[in-house]
Amino acid sequence: MKGSLNIVGLGPGAPGQITGEVEFALMAATDIVGYGPYVERAATPGAVLHASDNRVELERAHHALDLAAAGGRVVVASSGDPGVFAMAAAVFEALETRPEDHGLDIHVLPGVTAMLAAAARVGAPLGHDFCALNLSDNLKPWALIEKRLRLAAEADFAMAFYNPRSTARPHQFETALAVLRAACGPSRLIVFARAVGGADERIEVTTLGEAKAEMADMRTLVIVGSSATRRVGRFVYTPRSAP
Ligand code: SAH
C-alpha cells in the first residue's frame, strides 16, 4: 500500500498566515514529522506526532518516506515555506537514494516565508530586486557566505538574511555587518524582524551605522535595503524602478 507525503510550510507563526491547503493536509494526516516546535504547531487530534531535533534533517526525511511508503498520509512540517532553507530539499535529497519510492504521491505545499512576513510588517523593502542568504555556516563554509554577501551588496540587491546569529556562532554576524558597512555605507537601512507573527514579535528599523550584532538572534530575519530603499512615514520601501 502506498501512502502520501505532503511537505508543508506553516507560515511564520500567526494563525491567519497558514494556507487553506496546508490546514487541509494537516487535518487529513496520520503522521506529522518535523522539528519539535513545528510539530507542536501543526498538531491535529488524529495524527501521530514525530518530533525530532533540528539537526537531523536527512534522517527525518527518510523517516517520513518510510512512513509514507508503509501507507501513511504523512506531513513533513517546516516553518515559513518548506522550500526555503527547510525540509523540502532534504526530502528530495533522501529520495535520490530511494528509487523504489520515486512513484510516491509527494507534494510540496508552500507557505509564507519569514522574509515576506517581515517585509510586510515594515512596508515593502523587497519591492525591487532582492536576494535571500542563509548566514549559517552549518552546511557551507563561512568564506562562501562572505563572498556572496560582498557580491550581493555590490550588485545593489536588497538582502534578506535567514539564521543571522546563534549562541553557537555569536561573532560571525558582526563580521557580516562589517562587510556590509564597508560595501553599503553607514546610512543604509537595516530591519531586524524578530518572531514575526508571534506574541513576542519585535521589529526594529535602523541604519548599518547604528546596528549592533546583538539586535539579531536565531528567531530574527534581517533585511538590508538597496541604495534606493527609504523611509516614508513609519514605513520602509524600495521603489519599483532602479535609481
Ligand atoms: N523555512 C523557513 C526558514 C527556516 S530557517 C521560512 O521559510 O521562513 C530559520 C530562520 O528563519 C530563522 O533563523 C530566522 O532567520 C527565520 N525565521 C523563521 N521564522 C521566523 C519568524 N517568525 N520571524 C522572524 N524570522 C523567522
Side-chain angles (χ1 to χ4, degrees):
M1 182 176 52
K2 292 255 167 171
S4 65
L5 181 58
N6 284 310
I7 310 161
V8 312
L10 302 171
Q17 290 184 345
I18 183 167
T19 69
E21 68 172 355
V22 168
E23 280 192 330
F24 190 76
L26 291 172
M27 291 315 294
T30 57
D31 300 270
I32 301 176
V33 177
Y35 172 48
Y38 306 153
V39 165
E40 293 291 307
R41 248 169 74 196
T44 54
V48 179
L49 306 183
H50 305 266
S52 48
D53 190 69
N54 209 4
R55 295 208 171 204
V56 295
E57 290 191 346
L58 210 54
E59 212 175 287
R60 188 191 296 150
H62 278 292
H63 184 209
L65 285 163
D66 290 343
L67 291 166
R73 286 189 304 279
V74 182
V75 166
V76 173
S78 289
S79 78
D81 182 273
V84 179
F85 311 132
M87 280 305 293
V91 170
F92 292 116
E93 194 177 332
L95 195 62
E96 272 189 338
T97 63
R98 302 170 61 124
E100 70 280 10
D101 290 325
H102 285 188
L104 272 178
D105 186 24
I106 300 178
H107 298 272
V108 181
L109 308 184
V112 177
T113 187
M115 159 181 89
L116 300 185
R121 278 289 188 266
V122 295
L126 307 179
H128 192 70
D129 296 342
F130 64 89
C131 66
L133 296 176
N134 185 342
L135 294 190
S136 165
D137 67 348
N138 280 346
L139 301 171
K140 62 191 169 190
W142 177 255
L144 180 63
I145 297 174
E146 267 195 42
K147 178 182 174 188
R148 287 185 177 158
L149 265 176
R150 251 194 323 274
L151 291 174
E154 195 182 308
D156 202 15
F157 286 117
M159 294 166 264
F161 300 129
Y162 289 77
N163 292 307
R165 186 165 172 266
S166 76
T167 42
R169 41 182 187 84
H171 304 302
Q172 290 173 346
F173 187 57
E174 253 168 53
T175 309
L177 284 177
V179 168
L180 290 165
R181 264 183 219 114
C184 307
S187 61
R188 183 67 58 90
L189 290 176
I190 180 169
V191 177
F192 293 89
R194 183 172 188 280
V196 177
D200 48 352
E201 174 178 302
R202 193 184 67 222
I203 311 282
E204 285 178 278
V205 180
T206 184
T207 59
L208 281 178
E210 299 287 319
K212 305 262 177 302
E214 305 77 60
M215 290 173 168
D217 65 7
M218 277 308 277
R219 298 185 65 202
T220 308
L221 188 289
V222 178
I223 296 176
V224 172
S226 73
S227 63
T229 305
R230 51 195 186 242
R231 296 184 194 251
V232 52
R234 63 196 163 84
F235 300 105
V236 174
Y237 90 109
T238 307
R240 297 290 310 282
S241 53

